[in-house]
Amino acid sequence: MSSIEANPAQITLPVDVMALERQYLLQNYARYPVVMHRGKGCYLYAASGKRYLDLISGIGVNALGHAHPRIVKLIREQAGLLLHTSNLYYNDYQGPLAEKLAKVSGLDRSFFCNSGTEAMEGAIKMMHSHGRAISTEKYEIVSLDNSFHGRSTGALSLTGQPKYRADFEPLMPGVRFTPPNAIAALETVVSAKTAGIVIEVIQGEGGINPMDEAFLRRARQLADQYDALLVFDEIQCGVGRTGTHFAYQLFNPALMPDIALAAKPISCGLPLGVIMANEKAAATIKPGMHGTTFGGGPLTCRVALEFFDILEGLLPSITRTGDYFRERLRQLATKFSFIRNVRGRGLMIGAELDIPGKQIVLDCMEAGVLLNCTHDTVLRYLPPYTVTEPHVDTAIRVLAKVLKKY
Ligand SMILES: *Cc1c(COP(=O)(O)O)cnc(C)c1O
């Protein structure tokens, strides 16, 4: 038994970390008033000793829960071998991970970076490079209202939510927003000037909004007709979250993008983002046109390879447990009329309310269950892929008790 396991339930922090953060950090986060100290499986433990059922998993990142034995063992081993070399040299795992991604995604080539936002930035350069090779007028990018693509200036320019953008305008020119799932509107906005169309197959921060198959197929056709790149941002909905390797594989036949982006769960909590591209899109980046110091290091790539190996065995239960979770939420909706709608696929789950969700999240947390609220009124669960029906039952029991107050 490791020393961490043997810790007493409660630890005494040597400093008041909350006070230090108030004094020394940019005040950009509205954190919950709890200091998390360790995790095991689907549970997180605060410094106070309190245990939480973690059904948000670091915003969809800790896909195998916390301290998965195979991941812990491998990180320990790799830390003693090699952590970083930069992209000056080859390492043991970047090539094998790219091969694995090609097999599971149906796309041809990968570029590794360190976050979802960075993957989006690379994709913006690819769309611009693609357009520019055809015409200097071909630089428009079509993105959807209510979308979220990251907080850097480029990614923010594609994010269709004024609350994230307003303070930073003017942003990158040439972005045209259109409503999700509105085919006629999409047809009017895509033109010969369009270099790319960017879509979350299931919008995450925007409130767990799945795109219709017909809308996505029309986007594919329009991209082909006007020679634009179709980019799926699968940073939240991809890498197993929906019970398929990627959300675009929920459709039959799969609805292939030219570029797919992934990040959040792909290296089990280590920072790794990836751009996957077909040969046509990959050809937009020639030697020297893009790069990163940290991206694709041996540790993150090795963990991701191990994760994909474990994921194969989990995909059926992701679908099953996710369906069960939504079914139980729908049962609650028959009792609480302010639950308007239950949405999502696999373990990407949203329950839209007629009332604000913030206090409900705090009350569930008090009762030992972690979820969050996105878009003000959507309760969001992004549990680890190892979550079981008894965990779901606990979440539902706690939520039902909390909702009685409203
Ligand atoms: C989280 C997220 C991003 C940004 O990823 P980071 O790793 O936070 O940079 C981009 N797109 C989507 C759909 C996301 O959910």
Side-chain angles (χ1 to χ4, degrees):
M1 187 150 270
S2 78
S3 59
I4 289 177
E5 304 273 337
N7 262 0
Q10 184 164 3
I11 66 141
T12 310
L13 294 168
V15 291
D16 181 347
V17 295
M18 293 191 205
L20 289 176
E21 291 208 2
R22 273 194 302 278
Q23 186 172 353
Y24 291 109
L25 284 189
L26 293 193
Q27 293 299 296
N28 57 319
Y29 294 119
R31 296 197 209 283
Y32 298 110
V34 56
V35 181
M36 293 302 181
H37 177 63
R38 69 185 178 100
K40 186 73 200 158
C42 293
Y43 292 94
L44 266 176
Y45 297 82
S48 65
K50 188 176 167 111
R51 186 179 84 153
Y52 297 91
L53 178 60
D54 182 7
L55 300 183
I56 189 66
S57 55
I59 317 189
V61 168
N62 302 111
L64 300 178
H66 302 277
H68 189 284
R70 279 175 64 180
I71 301 296
V72 171
K73 178 167 174 285
L74 181 148
I75 289 175
R76 285 193 170 127
E77 189 181 305
Q78 189 61 34
L81 280 173
L82 190 62
L83 283 181
H84 174 78
T85 60
S86 83
N87 286 297
L88 289 172
Y89 312 105
Y90 294 91
N91 70 50
D92 291 340
Y93 299 104
Q94 201 175 133
L97 179 58
E99 179 191 35
K100 178 74 191 178
L101 285 169
K103 282 187 178 139
V104 297
S105 73
L107 294 166
D108 300 305
R109 295 178 182 275
S110 287
F111 170 81
F112 296 107
C113 53
N114 311 288
S115 69
T117 299
E118 255 184 81
M120 191 70 245
E121 286 296 322
I124 292 169
K125 286 174 73 176
M126 293 169 83
M127 288 183 275
H128 279 173
S129 169
H130 168 72
R132 210 177 160 75
I134 298 166
S135 151
T136 51
E137 302 278 283
K138 194 174 176 68
Y139 61 85
E140 286 187 357
I141 298 177
V142 171
S143 185
L144 299 184
D145 292 336
N146 202 41
S147 59
F148 182 86
H149 298 294
R151 309 247 200 181
S152 61
T153 309
L156 193 56
S157 301
L158 301 185
T159 291
Q161 300 191 58
K163 68 174 177 185
Y164 294 113
R165 312 162 50 91
D167 294 312
F168 306 104
E169 286 178 336
L171 294 164
M172 181 176 75
V175 183
R176 306 205 44 189
F177 290 103
T178 185
N181 286 332
I183 290 177
L186 184 69
E187 287 167 347
T188 64
V189 87
V190 178
S191 73
K193 291 170 102 181
T194 308
I197 304 172
V198 179
I199 299 175
E200 289 163 89
V201 174
I202 303 175
Q203 290 185 332
E205 301 307 300
I208 317 292
N209 302 315
M211 295 304 111
D212 302 334
E213 179 169 0
F215 178 74
L216 294 170
R217 293 222 183 269
R218 189 68 184 123
R220 179 68 271 175
Q221 283 171 351
L222 289 166
D224 291 341
Q225 185 179 338
Y226 291 100
D227 196 4
L229 297 177
L230 181 63
V231 178
F232 286 164
D233 177 346
E234 294 242 354
I235 292 164
Q236 190 160 148
C237 62
V239 200
R241 180 60 58 194
T242 58
T244 48
H245 285 103
F246 296 97
Y248 59 81
Q249 295 161 339
L250 286 166
F251 308 104
N252 195 6
L255 220 158
M256 293 302 292
D258 299 297
I259 294 174
L261 310 177
K264 288 185 165 90
I266 199 168
S267 193
C268 300
L270 297 177
L272 180 65
V274 60
I275 303 172
M276 291 158 280
N278 61 18
E279 291 292 1
K280 174 184 169 175
T284 61
I285 297 293
K286 296 179 181 65
M289 282 172 65
H290 199 50
T292 161
T293 301
F294 288 113
L299 180 70
T300 52
C301 287
R302 186 174 177 190
V303 169
L305 266 173
E306 186 82 352
F307 170 51
F308 273 108
D309 197 44
I310 298 168
L311 179 62
E312 299 303 328
L314 290 173
L315 290 173
S317 70
I318 290 170
T319 304
R320 221 179 320 111
T321 314
D323 287 345
Y324 178 73
F325 207 143
R326 270 179 298 277
E327 184 51 40
R328 297 292 320 263
L329 284 169
R330 288 192 181 112
Q331 286 166 8
L332 276 193
T334 64
K335 282 193 216 130
F336 300 98
S337 60
F338 55 83
I339 303 180
R340 190 193 297 178
N341 191 341
V342 176
R343 298 190 288 260
R345 292 296 294 266
L347 290 170
M348 187 168 184
I349 297 159
E352 183 170 15
L353 311 176
D354 289 325
I355 55 172
K358 195 173 168 206
Q359 188 59 41
I360 294 169
V361 168
L362 283 165
D363 292 348
C364 285
M365 183 166 171
E366 181 63 31
V369 175
L370 303 180
L371 62 149
N372 92 332
C373 173
T374 189
H375 226 240
D376 299 327
T377 56
V378 181
L379 300 181
R380 172 172 58 171
Y381 294 94
L382 298 171
Y385 300 171
T386 49
V387 74
T388 62
E389 290 190 1
H391 292 133
V392 175
D393 293 340
T394 301
I396 296 293
R397 180 163 29 78
V398 164
L399 183 62
K401 207 167 151 209
V402 164
L403 292 182
K404 280 200 187 110
K405 284 194 350 200
Y406 292 84

